[in-house]
Amino acid sequence: MKDINVLERIGQTIRTHRLEKGWSQEQLSEKSGVDRSFLGKIERGEVNVSVLTLCDIAKALSVNFQTLINSQHEA
């Protein structure tokens, strides 16, 4: 069974890093190449995002991939 909490934690981590930079979802979308509506679903933990997409987001946020997947944020 899929642990939805993992997806929610990853999404929250992305949102936190995005907001720390003062970026909108649209700005992160442009910098990462990830569709804005899909990015919103990722941040809400609604989709099982691919490793490659997470790498694109991490690069845009100037964090390493492990930062996104090893988050200890509560969903």
Side-chain angles (χ1 to χ4, degrees), residues 9-55:
R9 284 195 315 268
I10 290 170
Q12 180 60 46
T13 301
I14 292 168
R15 179 182 297 116
T16 298
H17 284 283
R18 175 177 62 77
L19 293 175
E20 284 174 357
K21 292 188 173 298
W23 293 352
S24 65
Q25 283 184 348
E26 185 67 33
Q27 288 170 303
L28 179 54
S29 172
E30 290 171 7
K31 294 173 188 303
S32 66
V34 176
D35 180 75
R36 201 236 21 105
S37 63
F38 189 62
L39 185 60
K41 290 178 182 180
I42 294 169
E43 287 189 357
R44 292 187 300 275
E46 295 176 354
V47 294
N48 190 3
V49 60
S50 76
V51 171
L52 293 176
T53 299
L54 285 177
C55 287

